[in-house]
């Protein structure tokens, strides 16, 4: 509400419009004990933006009639949050707090609590809002951070001038510190079975500790979670993986306001279980308790503390700049938490070793004080309780007697569990290397053979002892069938599983790696301190060369992949993307095709023969950047080629799909969402443009930028259709287009009504840009140019951009310069004509609706929310829905995607490079 106009700047969406015009953005987030507001904008307009922003806190209007619309936005956010297991689990956990303790509050808010209930009880929401603002929006509770290239003196002058008007109510700062032990209740130390939305088995063990914030110089929970979450030899996860009981484990405190505040701190350990692990969940919990007991017996170890300290020190000392808006947000919060001298370091560094502080936290992590939550679809039907706000089904029971007795006793330790050995991946050489070839502005191809090529650029801008290595192992085998795509996924998942333990030490020492199953090849990404990076890279290639799998691991990974696919399909936004791309990209296999191929069953033999064939014939493309010489870089490619010993591809292959040419007219594909209990619908209207030049792509980007703020204002602020509302510039395998997306709820709107509203918006937008002044047009162009001229804050940003050129085989490393050139040549009439050309009678439009469950959607067999489980067979196919009278005359229905696309022309392969 404070964003919606102030006395000095009364325009309701004035601030957002001002920022959009000058290439800026803003956001705000609420937490349990604080709210953070942040924005960024072009430097030239920083002072004016600060003044407009400060008025939120000096004299916001908070107009009564805007309240109802903003309540709708809050309600939409709540509806979007409902199908998330993380949010549901958090809400359930909070409900276990002592009666009247703030941890038990409803943290989301919805139409019920902000509109209907207050009306019933004669509470004036507007008055309460003003009261809240008077009590909490007071200058002496606030911290402010501004960052700019202006001088500090200038910034100080501006801040004093602009912000000194913020009122101070003189009241002592609200404090919850006296409300300790929120979870000191019998209900806490029990076993809770929960029915999740996604397909997953997970066990979470949680302890509620006294607030730990004051121990930030020691960070006891960081020390404990470092050991508990370790994945190397002797760790909990290493043991559970060998048993094929668990796939992942993370432990510790997320440092959100919910997990750490002035009343308590949480310590939790979450384990993703396999089907087998679910059956043995008590043994899994016992393994965790054995590990903790081992730590309690040994007591804190200085060697381990110093290792963590060293890693954090290195990371801090050689850190790269972060995105300025994230940085000021982080600092602003740190100022609330730490004394002045630790504002910059308090959240990251370990300052002093105090074994007694660590031991005190560690000794509380005993079975008797633990809360156990077991998530599994298998709990369906056994859960008789329902959480009030999210409707989560759960049950509460005592821990099984035999286990409870064992855990009270002095149980035996597990000999397989021990502390990690010394880490051989911690960097000690931070020297910057000299150039061994001429310096270049963009990557250069330094190796080119039939088997592969390598792009290289030595860093001379950021001057940090880090490097980035990226490789793309391209193979035509992957897209041959849906079964192949799935086998490739299984292969990458098993390879990642096999590497988890040996590569964990490197991961801890801030050497990061990721293996990605790309559409046309295996992508290997490695980054970190260059000193020990080659060791990690070679380890990955060795495991790839000697790939193998046991039947148990194969079963475990395929079971997990079924859940992953299923979880993607039940989300309306991911299903909508899948449907859209299935229509547009001709040879693509849909997620449903993949899910079917996986459910039909694949064998370990078929996997091993697929991998053998994959490794026998490849084209390998790499990019190396950072503190590395060209000689060292060549060795990376050489290592891959020598180790895998493959044949070159018979012919060059394209790393993109061919795209269909949509026929003229407005086509509509309406499908039912696949999660019965989910009200969320997703509506996307896509306009296809075609094989376009770089100049035209840039014009499309400019158009979408012009559209962002009016789109939000019309579809969200005024029409309150949903929380997520946005236009996008689309490059689909080289074919240009644009789209407008709205996430709505079937409990509020019919998807076709939303589609009509998008059309209404686009018509009004056409008028809006036709009436644009030359001045306003030029301002927007300048804003986009400034965004493209904005220098990279860290090496990773530059590498990402260059890698995108390599992985898509476009190689236009100076793309931004070309785009800026193009922007300088546009006039307002270019923009208006371009938009009109896409809207006329010949326009090629595709609407994709994923329709949720609710009263505004026709349901022949309406099933009340959440009563029915999602069975696997329902996810095996799309249910096409008929068009209602609303759009029946203006659209052409698609009721079978494959039949529709098989009649269409294919556009030629195209890249936006000229």
């Amino acid at each position: 509400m404070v964003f919606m106009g102030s006395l000095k700047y009364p325009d309701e969406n004035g601030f957002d419009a001002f920022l959009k015009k000058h290439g800026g953005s803003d956001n705000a987030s609420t937490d349990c004990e604080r709210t953070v507001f942040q924005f960024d904008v072009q430097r030239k307009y920083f002072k004016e933006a600060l003044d407009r922003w400060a008025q939120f806190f000096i004299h916001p209007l908070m107009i009564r009639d805007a309240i109802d619309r903003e309540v709708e936005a809050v309600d939409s956010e709540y509806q979007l949050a409902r199908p998330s297991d993380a949010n549901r689990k958090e809400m359930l956990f909070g409900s276990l707090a002592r009666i009247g303790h703030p941890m038990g509050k409803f943290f989301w808010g919805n139409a019920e609590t902000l509109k209907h209930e207050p009306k019933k009880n004669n509470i004036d929401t507007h008055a309460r809002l003003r009261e809240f603002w008077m009590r909490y929006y007071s200058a002496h509770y606030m911290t402010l951070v501004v960052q700019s290239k202006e001088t500090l003196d200038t910034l100080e002058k501006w801040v004093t001038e602009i912000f000194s008007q913020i009122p101070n109510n003189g009241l002592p700062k609200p404090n919850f510190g006296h409300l300790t032990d929120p979870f000191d209740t019998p209900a806490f130390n029990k076993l809770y079975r929960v029915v999740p939305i996604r397909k997953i088995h997970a066990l979470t063990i949680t302890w509620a500790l006294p607030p730990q914030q004051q121990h930030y110089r020691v960070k006891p929970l960081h020390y404990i979670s470092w050991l508990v979450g370790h994945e190397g030899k002797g760790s909990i996860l290493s043991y559970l993986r060998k048993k094929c009981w668990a796939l992942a484990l993370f432990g510790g405190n997320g440092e959100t306001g919910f997990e750490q505040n002035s009343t308590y701190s949480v310590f939790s350990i979450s384990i993703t279980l396999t089907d087998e692990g679910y059956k043995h969940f008590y043994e899994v919990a016992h393994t965790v308790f054995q590990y903790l007991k081992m730590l309690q017996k040994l007591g804190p170890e200085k060697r381990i503390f110093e290792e963590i300290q060293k890693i954090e020190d290195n990371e801090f000392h050689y850190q790269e700049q972060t995105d300025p808006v994230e940085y000021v947000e982080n600092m602003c919060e740190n100022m609330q938490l730490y004394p002045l001298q630790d504002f910059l370091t308090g959240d990251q560094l370990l300052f002093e070793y105090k074994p007694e502080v660590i031991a005190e936290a560690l000794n509380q992590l005993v079975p008797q004080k633990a809360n156990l939550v077991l998530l599994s679809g298998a709990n369906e039907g056994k859960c008789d309780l329902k959480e009030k706000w999210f409707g989560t089904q759960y049950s509460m029971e005592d821990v099984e007697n035999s286990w409870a007795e064992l855990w009270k006793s002095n149980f035996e330790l597990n000999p397989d569990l021990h502390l990690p050995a010394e880490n051989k991946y911690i960097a000690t050489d931070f020297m910057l290397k000299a150039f061994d070839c001429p310096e270049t502005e963009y990557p250069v191809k330094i190796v080119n053979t039939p088997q592969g090529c390598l792009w290289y650029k030595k860093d001379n801008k950021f001057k940090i002892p880090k490097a980035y290595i990226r490789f793309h192992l391209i193979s035509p085998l992957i897209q041959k069938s849906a079964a192949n795509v799935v086998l490739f996924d299984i292969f990458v998942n098993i390879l990642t599983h096999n590497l988890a333990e040996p590569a964990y030490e490197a991961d801890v020492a801030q050497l990061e790696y990721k293996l990605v199953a790309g559409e046309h090849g295996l992508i290997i990404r490695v980054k970190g301190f260059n000193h020990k990076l080659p060791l990690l890279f070679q380890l990955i290639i060795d495991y790839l060369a000697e790939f193998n799998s046991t039947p148990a691991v194969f079963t475990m990974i395929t079971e997990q992949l079924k859940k992953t696919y299923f979880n993607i399909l039940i989300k309306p936004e991911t299903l909508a993307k899948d449907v859209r791309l299935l229509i547009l990209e001709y040879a693509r296999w849909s997620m449903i095709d993949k899910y079917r191929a996986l459910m039909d069953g694949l064998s370990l033999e078929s996997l091993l023969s697929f991998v053998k064939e994959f490794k026998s014939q490849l084209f390998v493309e790499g990019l190396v950047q950072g503190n590395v010489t060209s000689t060292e870089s060549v060795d990376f490619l050489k290592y891959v080629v020598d180790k895998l010993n493959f044949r070159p591809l018979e012919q060059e292959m394209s790393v993109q799909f061919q795209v269909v040419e949509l026929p003229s007219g407005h086509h509509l594909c309406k499908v039912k969402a696949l999660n019965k209990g989910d009200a969320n619908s997703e509506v996307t209207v896509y306009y296809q443009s075609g094989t376009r030049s770089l100049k035209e792509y840039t014009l499309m980007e400019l158009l979408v930028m012009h559209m962002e703020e009016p789109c939000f204002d019309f579809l969200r602020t005024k029409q309150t259709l949903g929380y997520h509302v946005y236009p996008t510039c689309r490059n689909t395998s080289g074919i240009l287009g644009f789209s407008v997306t709205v996430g709505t709820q079937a409990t509020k709107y019919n998807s076709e009504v939303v589609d009509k509203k998008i059309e209404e918006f686009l018509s009004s937008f056409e008028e809006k840009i036709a009436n644009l002044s030359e001045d306003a047009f030029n301002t927007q162009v300048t804003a986009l140019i400034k965004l493209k001229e904005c220098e990279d804050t860290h090496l990773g940003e530059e590498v990402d951009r260059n890698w995108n050129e390599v992985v898509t085989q476009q190689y236009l490393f100076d793309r931004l310069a070309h785009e800026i050139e193009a922007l300088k040549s546009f006039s307002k009439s270019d923009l208006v004509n371009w938009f009109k050309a896409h809207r006329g009678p010949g326009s090629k439009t595709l609407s994709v609706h994923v329709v949720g469950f609710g009263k505004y959607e026709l349901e022949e067999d309406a099933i009340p929310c959440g009563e029915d489980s999602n069975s696997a067979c329902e996810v095996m196919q799309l249910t096409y829905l008929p068009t209602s009278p609303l759009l029946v005359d203006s659209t052409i229905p698609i009721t079978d995607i494959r039949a529709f696309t098989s009649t269409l022309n294919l556009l030629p392969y195209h890249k936006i490079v000229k």
Side-chain angles (χ1 to χ4, degrees):
M1 287 295 297
V2 299
F3 271 89
M4 302 180 87
S6 62
L7 194 63
K8 185 171 176 183
Y9 301 101
D11 218 11
E12 182 173 89
N13 61 329
F15 187 65
D16 278 352
F18 180 81
L19 289 183
K20 278 284 180 295
K21 211 157 100 187
H22 302 300
S25 65
D26 60 356
N27 205 353
S29 54
T30 52
D31 209 333
C32 299
E33 296 180 283
R34 59 188 67 89
T35 299
V36 183
F37 295 83
Q38 76 267 14
F39 80 88
D40 62 356
V41 73
Q42 260 168 280
R43 179 180 158 192
K44 189 174 162 189
Y45 299 96
F46 191 41
K47 186 179 181 184
E48 187 181 341
L50 278 175
D51 188 45
R52 288 168 171 270
W53 196 61
Q55 296 301 318
F56 295 166
F57 310 102
I58 293 167
H59 210 306
L61 292 179
M62 297 206 274
I63 298 167
R64 209 176 257 282
D65 78 307
I67 288 185
D68 275 359
R69 289 181 318 209
E70 277 312 292
V71 166
E72 284 307 318
V74 171
D75 191 71
S76 276
E77 192 178 13
Y78 158 75
Q79 297 289 351
L80 284 166
R82 269 187 75 117
S84 144
D85 287 320
N87 293 332
R88 294 165 83 93
K89 220 169 90 183
E90 190 170 274
M91 211 58 251
L92 177 62
F93 185 78
S95 74
L96 307 181
R98 283 187 287 122
I99 304 286
H101 191 284
M103 279 302 292
K105 283 182 180 177
F106 174 42
F107 289 113
W108 289 89
N110 61 14
E112 195 49 46
T113 61
L114 294 168
K115 189 168 163 182
H116 307 313
E117 274 180 22
K119 266 204 186 103
K120 259 199 322 246
N121 302 325
N122 283 326
I123 295 171
D124 179 357
T125 306
H126 183 251
R128 289 292 293 272
L129 206 58
R130 289 219 75 90
E131 236 171 82
F132 186 90
W133 186 82
M134 305 277 291
R135 176 67 185 95
Y136 296 106
Y137 279 52
S138 175
H140 62 314
Y141 314 150
M142 298 184 184
T143 49
L144 170 72
V145 180
V146 293
Q147 173 174 329
S148 166
K149 284 196 169 167
E150 305 292 346
T151 66
L152 286 176
D153 287 352
T154 306
L155 288 175
E156 188 176 357
K157 191 164 142 277
W158 289 357
V159 167
T160 317
E161 187 182 312
I162 293 170
F163 289 88
S164 51
Q165 246 93 72
I166 294 182
N168 183 332
N169 62 23
L171 297 170
K173 190 174 177 174
N175 186 348
F176 301 91
H178 56 292
L179 301 168
T180 48
D181 300 325
F183 296 103
D184 188 9
T185 65
F188 187 75
N189 309 114
K190 305 242 184 222
L191 167 66
Y192 288 82
R193 292 177 188 268
V194 175
V195 181
I197 297 286
R198 293 174 308 146
K199 283 210 165 158
I200 186 168
H201 304 298
L203 173 69
T204 303
I205 307 174
T206 311
W207 289 267
L209 308 176
Q212 297 291 314
Q213 178 62 42
Q214 77 266 28
H215 299 309
Y216 76 91
R217 296 185 67 77
V218 185
K219 297 194 172 46
L221 300 188
H222 186 47
Y223 173 93
I224 302 167
S225 65
W226 199 83
L227 290 168
V228 167
H230 209 281
E231 299 179 22
K233 280 193 173 51
S235 65
I236 300 172
L237 189 57
S238 163
Y239 177 79
L240 296 177
R241 274 189 177 134
K242 287 195 181 74
K243 289 271 201 188
C244 282
W245 284 352
L247 294 148
L249 176 155
F250 57 92
N253 182 304
E255 291 179 11
T256 59
F258 187 87
E259 295 191 14
Q260 175 147 295
N261 55 52
S262 57
T263 75
Y264 93 120
S265 284
V266 85
F267 189 86
S268 68
I269 299 170
S270 283
I271 303 165
T272 309
L273 303 171
T274 59
D275 296 355
E276 227 13 67
Y278 168 70
K279 293 177 196 152
H280 294 98
F281 80 90
Y282 272 121
E283 282 97 321
V284 171
H286 186 57
T287 306
V288 171
F289 295 149
Q290 286 179 309
Y291 189 86
L292 288 166
K293 187 171 176 181
M294 179 265 300
L295 293 185
Q296 287 154 356
K297 270 206 145 122
L298 289 173
E301 294 244 342
K302 196 165 188 192
R303 165 183 77 86
I304 304 267
F305 184 88
E306 285 173 348
E307 198 167 282
I308 306 170
Q309 193 176 35
K310 179 84 189 113
I311 288 168
E312 295 293 0
D313 275 353
N314 285 350
E315 191 50 29
F316 183 80
H317 193 83
Y318 297 103
Q319 70 184 317
E320 302 181 67
Q321 267 197 38
T322 45
D323 182 10
V325 78
E326 280 173 30
Y327 188 70
V328 292
E329 183 190 0
N330 196 29
M331 271 317 104
C332 206
E333 205 153 340
N334 281 1
M335 288 170 70
Q336 297 267 343
L337 297 172
Y338 306 108
L340 176 67
Q341 70 276 15
D342 298 331
F343 283 171
L344 302 175
T345 52
D347 57 345
Q348 203 177 337
L349 298 184
L350 280 65
F351 299 92
E352 49 196 8
Y353 176 59
K354 286 192 174 168
E356 67 285 1
V357 172
I358 298 171
E360 194 179 344
L362 184 57
N363 292 336
Q364 299 192 56
L365 307 180
V366 294
Q368 291 82 330
K369 290 186 175 180
N371 164 272
L372 302 176
V373 174
L374 183 65
L375 256 77
S376 169
N379 293 329
E380 186 97 42
K382 301 178 199 157
C383 293
D384 48 351
L385 302 171
K386 210 169 194 172
E387 191 275 320
K388 177 178 175 183
W389 297 110
F390 283 34
T392 311
Q393 296 171 302
Y394 72 100
S395 67
M396 170 176 109
E397 62 194 75
D398 287 327
V399 169
E400 212 171 90
N401 202 19
S402 56
W403 287 104
E405 287 306 311
L406 176 65
W407 291 337
K408 270 188 217 145
S409 70
N410 183 11
F411 54 85
E412 280 184 25
L413 295 180
N414 181 336
D416 290 328
L417 302 176
H418 55 79
L419 292 177
E422 209 157 314
N423 191 331
K424 65 170 190 287
Y425 287 97
I426 297 179
T428 51
D429 174 6
F430 302 108
M431 279 289 290
L432 292 180
K433 303 183 175 181
F435 278 85
D436 63 348
C437 62
E439 188 180 342
T440 58
E441 189 177 354
Y442 299 109
V444 182
K445 198 188 269 194
I446 56 171
V447 181
N448 195 9
T449 71
Q451 282 171 301
C453 63
L454 184 75
W455 298 84
Y456 164 77
K457 179 180 182 284
K458 164 98 170 72
D459 169 59
N460 200 23
K461 177 179 174 188
F462 296 99
K463 299 187 168 45
I464 47 158
K466 292 182 181 179
Y468 286 73
I469 307 167
R470 300 201 176 168
F471 274 85
H472 191 193
L473 282 58
I474 301 168
S475 161
L477 190 64
I478 301 167
Q479 290 294 341
K480 281 215 171 111
S481 66
N484 275 16
V485 179
V486 176
L487 286 169
F488 184 53
D489 270 348
I490 295 172
F491 158 57
V492 176
N493 279 323
I494 293 178
L495 181 57
T496 305
H497 172 86
N498 292 348
L499 273 165
E501 188 172 310
Y504 185 74
E505 294 286 342
D507 194 41
V508 172
Q510 256 105 18
L511 303 183
E512 296 171 40
Y513 70 96
K514 193 161 176 58
L515 305 174
V516 180
E519 322 245 57
H520 308 282
L522 170 64
I523 296 168
I524 300 172
R525 300 202 303 240
V526 185
K527 69 168 186 184
F529 290 116
N530 55 271
H531 182 197
K532 305 283 177 93
L533 206 55
L535 287 178
L536 175 61
F537 182 76
Q538 288 161 9
L539 180 78
I540 293 169
I541 302 303
D542 294 350
Y543 269 75
L544 171 60
E546 289 138 34
F547 178 81
N548 215 325
S549 175
T550 63
V553 168
F554 176 78
T555 308
M556 168 170 95
I557 296 292
T558 47
E559 285 305 314
Q560 189 56 23
L561 199 56
K562 284 176 192 170
K563 297 185 182 119
T564 305
Y565 287 173
F566 180 89
N567 294 339
I568 288 170
L569 286 166
I570 62 172
K571 280 191 177 149
E573 64 272 26
T574 37
L575 181 61
K577 178 181 178 180
D578 198 48
V579 170
R580 177 172 52 81
L581 292 180
L582 186 59
I583 295 171
L584 295 173
E585 297 185 328
Y586 187 64
R588 169 182 280 281
W589 301 100
S590 76
M591 195 39 99
I592 290 190
D593 297 329
K594 290 164 68 175
Y595 190 62
R596 240 183 248 158
L598 186 55
M599 295 305 272
D600 288 346
L602 295 161
S603 66
L604 178 54
E605 292 67 49
S606 64
L607 173 74
L608 295 174
S609 76
F610 169 84
V611 174
K612 191 175 168 189
E613 201 183 333
F614 171 80
K615 288 193 301 191
S616 69
Q617 209 170 4
L618 295 164
F619 184 75
V620 175
E621 211 160 357
L623 169 71
V624 180
Q625 278 194 242
N627 189 31
V628 195
T629 64
S630 67
T631 322
E632 289 169 322
S633 299
V634 173
D635 288 342
F636 290 120
L637 178 62
K638 189 176 180 314
Y639 197 83
V640 177
V641 174
D642 292 353
K643 205 66 190 174
L644 296 180
N645 193 11
F646 53 89
R647 302 192 308 283
L649 298 182
E650 269 135 46
Q651 62 219 57
E652 270 188 45
M653 66 168 273
S654 181
V655 291
Q656 55 188 153
F657 293 104
Q658 244 182 308
V659 176
V660 299
E661 179 171 14
L662 289 176
S664 295
H666 187 165
H667 284 79
L668 167 64
C669 183
K670 246 179 108 169
V671 301
K672 214 184 225 183
L674 299 172
N675 175 7
K676 279 276 164 67
D678 194 348
N680 291 299
S681 299
E682 183 94 355
V683 177
T684 294
V685 182
Y686 168 81
Y687 284 78
Q688 187 175 62
S689 183
T691 53
R692 299 293 189 171
S693 68
L694 193 103
K695 190 168 175 176
E696 290 162 319
Y697 173 83
T698 312
L699 188 53
M700 186 69 90
E701 236 189 325
L702 183 66
L703 177 72
V704 168
M705 192 171 180
H706 269 279
M707 226 184 259
E708 278 174 358
E709 190 277 324
C711 175
F712 186 93
D713 187 51
F714 183 90
L715 297 169
R716 176 174 152 173
T717 309
K718 304 267 196 296
Q719 302 284 336
T720 66
L721 297 179
Y723 183 76
H724 287 302
V725 173
Y726 53 92
T728 318
C729 179
R730 301 268 178 203
N731 174 353
T732 311
S733 276
I735 305 305
L736 187 60
F738 77 90
S739 66
V740 175
T741 301
V742 173
T744 190
Q745 283 85 34
T747 46
K748 297 178 180 177
Y749 293 101
N750 174 286
S751 70
E752 295 189 22
V753 171
V754 173
D755 198 301
K756 268 262 201 273
K757 290 285 187 198
I758 292 175
E759 174 52 39
E760 203 181 306
F761 159 68
L762 290 168
S763 306
S764 72
F765 178 70
E766 190 167 334
E767 204 176 312
K768 199 179 170 96
I769 55 168
N771 297 328
L772 208 61
S773 70
E774 285 297 333
D775 228 17
F777 171 78
N778 291 330
T779 306
Q780 196 75 72
V781 171
T782 310
L784 190 51
I785 289 175
K786 284 277 185 270
L787 280 177
K788 291 185 183 294
E789 284 176 343
C790 212
E791 50 193 292
D792 301 316
T793 48
H794 56 96
L795 181 57
E797 238 177 290
E798 184 188 313
V799 174
D800 282 341
R801 200 175 45 249
N802 290 334
W803 176 243
N804 190 49
E805 296 295 333
V806 172
V807 87
T808 56
Q809 296 187 343
Q810 297 184 94
Y811 314 121
L812 191 66
F813 297 110
D814 57 350
R815 182 178 298 273
L816 286 173
H818 293 283
E819 290 175 344
I820 290 166
E821 222 28 64
L823 279 168
K824 289 178 177 164
S825 70
F826 295 138
S827 68
K828 184 193 129 178
S829 56
D830 292 333
L831 186 71
V832 175
N833 296 336
W834 175 250
F835 185 59
K836 280 191 173 145
H838 289 86
R839 296 269 302 153
S843 83
K844 302 165 181 175
T845 315
L846 168 68
S847 284
V848 175
H849 296 194
V850 173
V851 179
F853 296 82
K855 62 180 177 193
Y856 287 97
E857 296 297 349
L858 285 171
E859 265 292 329
E860 314 77 67
D861 49 350
I863 292 170
C865 255
E867 301 302 310
D868 194 84
S869 65
N870 297 305
S871 64
C873 58
E874 288 171 343
V875 179
M876 297 290 251
Q877 60 199 24
L878 290 174
T879 308
Y880 294 89
L881 297 171
T883 314
S884 77
L886 192 62
L887 292 182
V888 83
D889 298 332
S890 56
T891 61
I892 308 147
I894 298 174
T895 49
D896 178 340
I897 293 176
R898 293 267 189 247
F900 171 68
T901 55
S902 62
T903 62
L904 304 180
N905 291 330
L906 290 182
L907 292 164
Y909 283 115
H910 179 70
K911 290 172 186 168
I912 304 179
V913 289
K914 290 205 169 57

